[in-house]
């Protein structure tokens, strides 16, 4: 059986609003991408953040996946 090629999709957003709505925007972006790509198999998901006290927090989510047939 031939193995599919692993791919990745990077999502990122700066939290510039104190009400957290930017994070909801990121969540919606990821959910829309998943809905529009029903033939993928998710292999791993990683999250990281930077910034904080003096700068806006930046959140990154990386989805590692293979495309199905």
């Amino acid at each position: 059986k031939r193995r599919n090629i692993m791919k990745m999709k990077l999502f990122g957003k700066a939290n510039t609003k104190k009400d957290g709505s930017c994070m909801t925007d990121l969540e919606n972006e990821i959910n829309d991408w998943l809905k529009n790509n029903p033939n993928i198999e998710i292999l791993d998901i990683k999250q990281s953040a930077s910034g904080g006290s003096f700068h806006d927090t930046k959140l990154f989510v990386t989805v590692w996946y293979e495309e199905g047939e």
Side-chain angles (χ1 to χ4, degrees), residues 11 25-37:
F11 299 92
D25 292 345
L26 179 60
E27 183 179 286
N28 291 335
E29 182 181 348
I30 293 169
N31 284 330
D32 287 344
W33 182 78
L34 290 169
K35 183 175 70 174
N36 291 323
N37 292 280

Side-chain angles (χ1 to χ4, degrees), residues 10-29:
L10 177 64
F11 299 92
K13 190 72 75 176
N15 190 20
T16 57
K17 300 176 185 171
K18 299 302 177 198
D19 65 359
S21 60
C22 288
M23 296 302 111
T24 302
D25 292 345
L26 179 60
E27 183 179 286
N28 291 335
E29 182 181 348

Side-chain angles (χ1 to χ4, degrees), residues 10-69:
L10 177 64
F11 299 92
K13 190 72 75 176
N15 190 20
T16 57
K17 300 176 185 171
K18 299 302 177 198
D19 65 359
S21 60
C22 288
M23 296 302 111
T24 302
D25 292 345
L26 179 60
E27 183 179 286
N28 291 335
E29 182 181 348
I30 293 169
N31 284 330
D32 287 344
W33 182 78
L34 290 169
K35 183 175 70 174
N36 291 323
N37 292 280
N39 294 328
I40 63 169
E41 177 183 352
I42 296 175
L43 304 173
D44 198 9
I45 299 173
K46 300 289 183 191
Q47 172 185 316
S48 63
S50 65
S53 298
F54 299 107
H55 301 285
D56 294 331
T57 301
K58 295 170 191 72
L59 181 65
F60 301 94
V61 176
T62 308
V63 178
W64 298 88
Y65 67 97
E66 290 179 350
E67 292 180 331
E69 312 215 359

